[in-house]
Amino acid sequence: MLQTPDAYQEIREAIRSLCAEYPDEYFRKIDEQRAYPESFVDALTQAGWLAAMIPQEYGGSGLGLAEASVIMEEINRNGGNAGACHGQMYNMGTLLRHGSQQQKEFYLPKIATGEWRLQSMGVTEPTTGTDTTKIKTTAVKKGDRYVVNGQKVWISRVKPSDWMILLARTTPLADVKRKSEGMSIFMVDLKKAIGNGLTVRPIPNMVNHETNELFFENLEIPEENLIGQEGMGFKYILDGLNAERTLIAAECIGDGYWFIERVSRYAKDRVVFGRPIGQNQGVQFPIADAYIEVEAANLMRFKACELFDAHQPCGAEANMAKYLAAKASWEAANVCIQYHGGFGFACEYDVERKFRETRLYQVAPVSTNMVYSYIAEHVLGLPRSF
Ligand SMILES: Cc1cc2nc3c(=O)[nH]c(=O)nc-3n(C[C@H](O)[C@H](O)[C@H](O)COP(=O)(O)OP(=O)(O)OC[C@H]3O[C@@H](n4cnc5c(N)ncnc54)[C@H](O)[C@@H]3O)c2cc1C
């Protein structure tokens, strides 16, 4: 047993038994076909897991970030990839925190039942990248609608979603006091928008991550789809990032345990020079090192969850958890592929697939340098560099 039992064993057991229906072969095939794991995501939704953080009054389970993070962790721990569905966990938080009562009643119950999927969030743009306040996509009010023009890139889970949260500039940068002002967020009805002002172009990429370029040409969005106050969108997006970062940290923890378990098992079984390779300290130590790093990252992940669930500031902890967990899972991935020798590269061992999947988290949804920058500026009080 790699992990000491914790307070979440019941959730862990339930997710493990659901995942047992979707073994390695399932995810391997989905990866080969670059397909969306429809039946897996449907099963999770039907069992109510993706509505974990939706309050009970809207049909969810009203659980905290800690429980939600365990759900995501266990998917990755059992060989799957929660990247296919994690958007639903944190995107609905934006609606919950900033939507009107009417919007919450309209969207959340249908998201909870799975009738609607809200997996997608459109922020990143090709010419501005991490410098989000410079986004060029605009939403201009015309009568009772907003008209959207611009371009986004790397926007994930568009095809499998019914709705997307979109960040666009509603007041030109030149007309606002602070660069973080003048952006707004909208609910975009994807099924209506595609072909009517929104064009979606898939980006083939290293992982099986459904991600796209989006082109907006006079896309009309009804004014009632604006979430919260006009001009406050950037703040609303930032409010959701701590949950996103912590959930992704948990997925990396799940990956980390998966890699360590697989490589430990292989190192016990694989006999070379007349003894198991795991008997050599040159093999044992890097595995032990990776395990220690995953365990340490796990503590920071639960610290971030505890603060978030107590409604305390947790920006530093969420960022550090994401940083530590992504680093630990990547180190575990390297060790796992290394000590599988040539077999680490064979698709049937799943190591190469998980290796590719976990690498993403050094870059998205926030890159390592941006975490350093957050800590330097917000925790250490060093001067802003941008
Ligand atoms: C598979 C995938 C899925 C994604 N899904 C989504 C999604 O659903 N929605 C969405 O909005 N976005 C999504 N993204 C975008 C993702 O959030 C960005 O790729 C990420 O934030 C980095 O932005 P960028 O690619 O523009 O890199 P850039 O901003 O161009 O930066 C490139 C590199 O330079 C570094 N860098 C830049 N400026 C500085 C600086 N001042 N100091 C130090 N280092 C710096 C960065 O850290 C980074 O490593 C996705 C990306 C990928 C790859």
Side-chain angles (χ1 to χ4, degrees), residues 121-124 129-130 153-157 205 209 211 360 363-367 369-370 386:
M121 178 170 70
V123 174
T124 308
T130 311
V153 72
W154 298 116
I155 309 308
S156 304
R157 300 168 298 273
N205 64 91
H209 204 94
T211 191
L360 173 66
V363 171
V366 60
S367 62
N369 277 0
M370 292 302 122
F386 49 83

Short mmCIF file of all heavy atoms in Angstrom, two decimals, residues 121-124 129-130 153-157 205 209 211 360 363-367 369-370 386, ligand 1:
data_model
loop_
_atom_site.label_atom_id
_atom_site.label_comp_id
_atom_site.label_asym_id
_atom_site.label_seq_id
_atom_site.Cartn_x
_atom_site.Cartn_y
_atom_site.Cartn_z
N MET A 121 -13.37 26.29 -21.06
CA MET A 121 -13.16 27.68 -20.63
C MET A 121 -12.18 28.33 -21.62
O MET A 121 -11.07 27.84 -21.82
CB MET A 121 -12.57 27.71 -19.22
CG MET A 121 -12.28 29.12 -18.75
SD MET A 121 -11.86 29.19 -16.99
CE MET A 121 -10.27 28.42 -16.98
N GLY A 122 -12.60 29.43 -22.21
CA GLY A 122 -11.80 30.07 -23.26
C GLY A 122 -11.12 31.33 -22.77
O GLY A 122 -11.76 32.38 -22.67
N VAL A 123 -9.83 31.22 -22.47
CA VAL A 123 -9.08 32.38 -21.99
C VAL A 123 -7.89 32.68 -22.91
O VAL A 123 -7.72 33.79 -23.40
CB VAL A 123 -8.58 32.16 -20.53
CG1 VAL A 123 -7.68 33.30 -20.08
CG2 VAL A 123 -9.75 32.00 -19.57
N THR A 124 -7.04 31.67 -23.15
CA THR A 124 -5.75 31.88 -23.82
C THR A 124 -5.93 32.34 -25.27
O THR A 124 -6.80 31.85 -25.99
CB THR A 124 -4.92 30.57 -23.79
OG1 THR A 124 -4.87 30.11 -22.44
CG2 THR A 124 -3.51 30.78 -24.29
N GLY A 129 -0.82 35.02 -25.06
CA GLY A 129 -0.33 33.95 -24.17
C GLY A 129 -0.66 34.21 -22.71
O GLY A 129 -1.79 34.53 -22.36
N THR A 130 0.36 34.10 -21.88
CA THR A 130 0.18 34.24 -20.44
C THR A 130 -0.21 35.66 -20.03
O THR A 130 -0.72 35.88 -18.93
CB THR A 130 1.50 33.84 -19.74
OG1 THR A 130 1.94 32.59 -20.28
CG2 THR A 130 1.33 33.67 -18.26
N VAL A 153 -6.86 30.25 -28.45
CA VAL A 153 -6.07 29.06 -28.80
C VAL A 153 -5.98 28.14 -27.58
O VAL A 153 -6.07 28.61 -26.45
CB VAL A 153 -4.67 29.47 -29.33
CG1 VAL A 153 -3.77 30.00 -28.22
CG2 VAL A 153 -3.98 28.31 -30.06
N TRP A 154 -5.80 26.85 -27.86
CA TRP A 154 -5.68 25.83 -26.80
C TRP A 154 -6.94 25.74 -25.95
O TRP A 154 -6.85 25.59 -24.73
CB TRP A 154 -4.48 26.11 -25.88
CG TRP A 154 -3.16 26.10 -26.54
CD1 TRP A 154 -2.30 27.14 -26.68
CD2 TRP A 154 -2.53 24.98 -27.16
NE1 TRP A 154 -1.18 26.75 -27.35
CE2 TRP A 154 -1.29 25.43 -27.67
CE3 TRP A 154 -2.89 23.64 -27.37
CZ2 TRP A 154 -0.41 24.60 -28.35
CZ3 TRP A 154 -2.01 22.82 -28.05
CH2 TRP A 154 -0.79 23.30 -28.52
N ILE A 155 -8.09 25.87 -26.56
CA ILE A 155 -9.31 25.80 -25.76
C ILE A 155 -9.82 24.36 -25.79
O ILE A 155 -10.16 23.82 -26.85
CB ILE A 155 -10.36 26.82 -26.25
CG1 ILE A 155 -9.73 28.22 -26.36
CG2 ILE A 155 -11.58 26.81 -25.32
CD1 ILE A 155 -8.99 28.72 -25.10
N SER A 156 -9.85 23.77 -24.62
CA SER A 156 -10.05 22.32 -24.52
C SER A 156 -11.50 21.93 -24.30
O SER A 156 -12.30 22.73 -23.80
CB SER A 156 -9.21 21.77 -23.37
OG SER A 156 -7.87 22.12 -23.55
N ARG A 157 -11.78 20.68 -24.66
CA ARG A 157 -13.09 20.03 -24.43
C ARG A 157 -14.25 20.85 -25.01
O ARG A 157 -15.29 20.99 -24.39
CB ARG A 157 -13.31 19.78 -22.92
CG ARG A 157 -12.26 18.89 -22.30
CD ARG A 157 -12.32 18.89 -20.79
NE ARG A 157 -12.07 20.18 -20.24
CZ ARG A 157 -10.86 20.68 -19.95
NH1 ARG A 157 -9.79 19.93 -20.11
NH2 ARG A 157 -10.71 21.89 -19.48
N ASN A 205 -2.12 17.26 -30.99
CA ASN A 205 -1.08 17.53 -29.98
C ASN A 205 -0.54 16.25 -29.37
O ASN A 205 -1.02 15.16 -29.67
CB ASN A 205 -1.63 18.49 -28.92
CG ASN A 205 -2.79 17.91 -28.14
OD1 ASN A 205 -2.60 17.29 -27.10
ND2 ASN A 205 -4.02 18.08 -28.63
N HIS A 209 -5.68 15.21 -25.86
CA HIS A 209 -6.39 16.29 -25.18
C HIS A 209 -7.15 17.02 -26.27
O HIS A 209 -6.53 17.59 -27.17
CB HIS A 209 -5.35 17.21 -24.53
CG HIS A 209 -5.88 17.99 -23.38
ND1 HIS A 209 -5.76 17.57 -22.08
CD2 HIS A 209 -6.54 19.16 -23.34
CE1 HIS A 209 -6.32 18.46 -21.29
NE2 HIS A 209 -6.81 19.43 -22.03
N THR A 211 -8.32 19.78 -27.88
CA THR A 211 -8.04 21.20 -27.70
C THR A 211 -8.02 21.90 -29.06
O THR A 211 -7.71 21.27 -30.07
CB THR A 211 -6.75 21.38 -26.85
OG1 THR A 211 -6.64 22.74 -26.46
CG2 THR A 211 -5.51 20.95 -27.57
N LEU A 360 2.34 17.53 -19.52
CA LEU A 360 1.56 18.75 -19.81
C LEU A 360 1.51 19.69 -18.61
O LEU A 360 1.52 20.92 -18.76
CB LEU A 360 0.13 18.32 -20.20
CG LEU A 360 -0.89 19.44 -20.39
CD1 LEU A 360 -0.52 20.33 -21.58
CD2 LEU A 360 -2.29 18.86 -20.60
N VAL A 363 3.34 22.92 -17.97
CA VAL A 363 3.06 24.07 -18.85
C VAL A 363 1.64 24.61 -18.64
O VAL A 363 1.42 25.81 -18.55
CB VAL A 363 3.27 23.67 -20.33
CG1 VAL A 363 2.77 24.77 -21.27
CG2 VAL A 363 4.73 23.36 -20.60
N ALA A 364 0.66 23.72 -18.60
CA ALA A 364 -0.74 24.13 -18.51
C ALA A 364 -1.35 23.48 -17.27
O ALA A 364 -0.94 22.39 -16.89
CB ALA A 364 -1.50 23.69 -19.77
N PRO A 365 -2.30 24.13 -16.66
CA PRO A 365 -2.91 25.41 -17.01
C PRO A 365 -2.08 26.61 -16.55
O PRO A 365 -2.46 27.74 -16.85
CB PRO A 365 -4.25 25.37 -16.28
CG PRO A 365 -4.01 24.52 -15.08
CD PRO A 365 -2.97 23.52 -15.49
N VAL A 366 -1.02 26.37 -15.81
CA VAL A 366 -0.13 27.49 -15.47
C VAL A 366 1.29 26.94 -15.53
O VAL A 366 1.55 25.83 -15.05
CB VAL A 366 -0.45 28.08 -14.07
CG1 VAL A 366 -0.32 27.05 -12.96
CG2 VAL A 366 0.42 29.29 -13.77
N SER A 367 2.18 27.69 -16.15
CA SER A 367 3.53 27.17 -16.30
C SER A 367 4.33 27.41 -15.02
O SER A 367 4.02 28.28 -14.21
CB SER A 367 4.21 27.82 -17.50
OG SER A 367 4.30 29.20 -17.27
N ASN A 369 7.16 28.75 -14.42
CA ASN A 369 7.69 30.10 -14.19
C ASN A 369 6.63 31.03 -13.61
O ASN A 369 6.95 31.92 -12.82
CB ASN A 369 8.20 30.71 -15.51
CG ASN A 369 9.61 30.25 -15.83
OD1 ASN A 369 10.19 29.48 -15.08
ND2 ASN A 369 10.15 30.71 -16.94
N MET A 370 5.39 30.83 -14.00
CA MET A 370 4.33 31.71 -13.48
C MET A 370 4.07 31.42 -12.00
O MET A 370 3.69 32.31 -11.25
CB MET A 370 3.04 31.54 -14.30
CG MET A 370 3.16 32.05 -15.72
SD MET A 370 3.62 33.81 -15.79
CE MET A 370 5.13 33.73 -16.77
N PHE A 386 6.34 41.95 -14.27
CA PHE A 386 5.51 42.27 -15.45
C PHE A 386 4.16 42.75 -14.99
O PHE A 386 3.81 42.60 -13.81
CB PHE A 386 5.36 41.05 -16.39
CG PHE A 386 4.95 39.78 -15.71
CD1 PHE A 386 3.61 39.51 -15.42
CD2 PHE A 386 5.90 38.83 -15.32
CE1 PHE A 386 3.24 38.34 -14.79
CE2 PHE A 386 5.52 37.65 -14.70
CZ PHE A 386 4.19 37.40 -14.42
C1 LIG B 1 -3.10 20.76 -24.02
C2 LIG B 1 -3.41 22.16 -23.58
C3 LIG B 1 -4.68 22.47 -23.13
C4 LIG B 1 -5.01 23.77 -22.77
N1 LIG B 1 -6.31 24.07 -22.40
C5 LIG B 1 -6.66 25.37 -22.22
C6 LIG B 1 -8.04 25.73 -22.02
O1 LIG B 1 -8.93 24.88 -21.96
N2 LIG B 1 -8.35 27.05 -21.90
C7 LIG B 1 -7.42 28.04 -21.97
O2 LIG B 1 -7.77 29.21 -21.87
N3 LIG B 1 -6.08 27.73 -22.15
C8 LIG B 1 -5.70 26.42 -22.27
N4 LIG B 1 -4.37 26.09 -22.49
C9 LIG B 1 -3.38 27.16 -22.55
C10 LIG B 1 -2.38 27.16 -21.39
O3 LIG B 1 -3.00 27.65 -20.24
C11 LIG B 1 -1.18 27.96 -21.85
O4 LIG B 1 -0.52 27.23 -22.88
C12 LIG B 1 -0.23 28.23 -20.74
O5 LIG B 1 -0.83 29.06 -19.78
C13 LIG B 1 1.04 28.92 -21.27
O6 LIG B 1 0.70 29.99 -22.13
P1 LIG B 1 1.34 30.09 -23.60
O7 LIG B 1 1.24 28.77 -24.24
O8 LIG B 1 0.75 31.24 -24.32
O9 LIG B 1 2.85 30.40 -23.30
P2 LIG B 1 3.59 31.81 -23.31
O10 LIG B 1 2.84 32.81 -22.51
O11 LIG B 1 3.90 32.15 -24.71
O12 LIG B 1 4.91 31.44 -22.54
C14 LIG B 1 5.87 30.51 -23.07
C15 LIG B 1 6.86 30.14 -21.98
O13 LIG B 1 7.58 31.29 -21.56
C16 LIG B 1 7.44 31.46 -20.17
N5 LIG B 1 7.30 32.90 -19.86
C17 LIG B 1 6.48 33.81 -20.48
N6 LIG B 1 6.62 35.01 -19.92
C18 LIG B 1 7.53 34.88 -18.92
C19 LIG B 1 8.08 35.77 -17.95
N7 LIG B 1 7.74 37.05 -17.90
N8 LIG B 1 8.99 35.28 -17.08
C20 LIG B 1 9.36 33.98 -17.12
N9 LIG B 1 8.87 33.08 -18.01
C21 LIG B 1 7.96 33.53 -18.89
C22 LIG B 1 6.17 30.73 -19.76
O14 LIG B 1 6.23 30.35 -18.43
C23 LIG B 1 6.16 29.57 -20.74
O15 LIG B 1 6.91 28.49 -20.23
C24 LIG B 1 -4.01 24.78 -22.81
C25 LIG B 1 -2.71 24.46 -23.22
C26 LIG B 1 -2.40 23.17 -23.61
C27 LIG B 1 -1.00 22.88 -24.09
#
